[in-house]
Amino acid sequence: MPLTPQQIETFHTEGWLFLPELFSEEEVALLRHEADSIYDGNRPEVWREKSGAPRTAFAAHTYNEAFRLLGAHPRLIEPVEEIFGEHLYMHQFKINAKAAFTGEVWQWHQDYGTWKRDDGMPKPRAMNISVFLDEVMHINGPLLLVPRSQHEGDLKASHDTVTTSYPLWTLDEETVTRLVKKGGIVAPVGKPGGVLMFHGNLVHGSAGNITPYPRKIVYLTLNAVSNYIRTPTRPEYIAHRDFRPIEPVDDDALLRLARSHRQAAE
Ligand SMILES: O=C(O)CCC(=O)C(=O)O
């Protein structure tokens, strides 16, 4: 379903857009189940918190059928193609766990800050579009966004390799305070199946999760094909080198797979 002109305008002004219930419970239940079995395995693409709990699983679309279909799903690819007016390839794919009781912080940052410095991405013509696999609540570490901060461009950042297990180019407190004074902070919440898209320069982060409620979110980082990365430094499974345009699958492909899994289990 194409974005409405009003949604496109909101995205350009505010830097983010939330689309509730874009995926059904049947579709999301399969993804949740597959995510948990990926976390339970010991693939090198699964990164862990210092406690050993899963933090993120990279590149599941390359080895798991349900996530392959999600990574080429028209409900995710088409809105981003509409914004950029160009075909897209997958720059990064990750399933962030924010595990119950132990999920750790994501420091304040802009995604493009890392894509530019670590991967040599020329312009902020990439963005994250994310799918909630669990209910995201105000209490279980939702994403915190600073609306309209994308208009500030690429901000000064420093490489934080110590706060968490995942190195990130992060913003200082003075910068975040200045931008929050202007734009405030929002925390989009919603049921599993909701989709959040946000501009590559939108300032965001998330707090730790000390509740018994896990908060899994899948992030597709979709990059305009002409904006392919020039000087990657991170492993292939974190910053992909396959720049071929994504060909969307059928809209019901994930639902069909969910049904076939269910039948096989009965
Ligand atoms: O999942 C989260 O809480 C934050 C993830 C994030 O900020 C990112 O991947 O850039």
Side-chain angles (χ1 to χ4, degrees):
M1 188 130 60
L3 296 174
T4 64
Q6 168 83 58
Q7 285 174 317
I8 295 176
E9 195 191 317
T10 302
F11 175 81
H12 285 307
T13 313
E14 300 298 313
W16 64 280
L17 198 60
F18 182 58
L19 308 167
E21 293 171 47
L22 211 62
F23 289 88
S24 68
E25 181 48 33
E26 221 176 335
E27 292 168 315
V28 177
L30 172 65
L31 297 169
R32 209 166 30 233
H33 175 269
E34 298 296 290
D36 283 334
S37 46
I38 290 168
Y39 292 146
D40 285 347
N42 60 358
R43 298 186 64 103
E45 297 94 338
V46 179
W47 285 30
R48 301 194 177 272
E49 310 283 19
K50 287 166 186 162
S51 65
R55 180 172 179 82
T56 191
F58 290 103
H61 68 305
T62 61
Y63 61 80
N64 177 282
E65 180 61 6
F67 287 111
R68 181 186 76 78
L69 296 177
L70 189 73
H73 205 289
R75 281 174 241 160
L76 301 175
I77 306 302
E78 285 170 7
V80 181
E81 272 185 354
E82 216 178 328
I83 299 280
F84 289 137
E86 194 184 328
H87 288 305
L88 308 167
Y89 78 90
M90 188 71 68
H91 172 60
Q92 187 178 83
F93 186 103
K94 61 187 189 296
I95 317 165
N96 284 1
K98 192 76 83 175
F101 293 111
T102 51
E104 288 183 17
V105 65
W106 284 74
Q107 314 92 301
W108 289 108
H109 66 285
Q110 297 172 299
D111 291 329
Y112 180 61
T114 297
W115 303 334
K116 177 179 135 181
R117 293 170 179 85
D118 287 355
D119 307 328
M121 187 184 285
K123 295 188 190 140
R125 281 177 59 72
M127 76 164 101
N128 272 338
I129 184 160
S130 61
V131 182
F132 295 1
L133 298 191
D134 295 309
E135 178 161 2
V136 177
M137 302 176 261
H138 285 109
I139 54 173
N140 65 348
L143 273 174
L144 305 177
L145 313 176
V146 182
R148 299 190 285 284
S149 53
Q150 81 280 9
H151 299 304
E152 303 281 324
D154 171 33
L155 296 158
K156 183 171 75 67
S158 39
H159 205 203
D160 181 349
T161 56
V162 293
T163 304
T164 72
S165 57
Y166 185 61
L168 207 58
W169 288 88
T170 60
L171 304 173
D172 61 34
E173 290 176 4
E174 207 182 315
T175 306
V176 175
T177 306
R178 177 173 64 80
L179 297 176
V180 169
K181 267 191 191 144
K182 285 205 236 173
I185 299 178
V186 293
V189 293
K191 299 228 170 296
V195 167
L196 175 67
M197 54 198 283
F198 53 99
H199 192 284
N201 272 337
L202 194 79
V203 173
H204 64 283
S206 63
N209 183 10
I210 59 165
T211 76
Y213 308 113
R215 191 236 60 183
K216 286 183 284 303
I217 301 182
V218 185
Y219 294 85
L220 279 64
T221 305
L222 298 169
N223 191 10
V225 167
S226 65
N227 196 41
Y228 66 92
I229 56 174
R230 306 303 205 259
T231 50
T233 60
R234 301 189 290 176
E236 215 284 333
Y237 69 85
I238 299 182
H240 301 305
R241 275 58 145 183
D242 179 353
F243 307 136
R244 284 173 301 169
I246 296 168
E247 290 193 19
V249 297
D250 290 341
D251 189 81
D252 66 351
L254 186 58
L255 185 61
R256 280 191 275 118
L257 183 70
R259 288 189 176 157
S260 73
H261 274 241
R262 218 183 51 209
Q263 274 162 9
E266 279 167 4

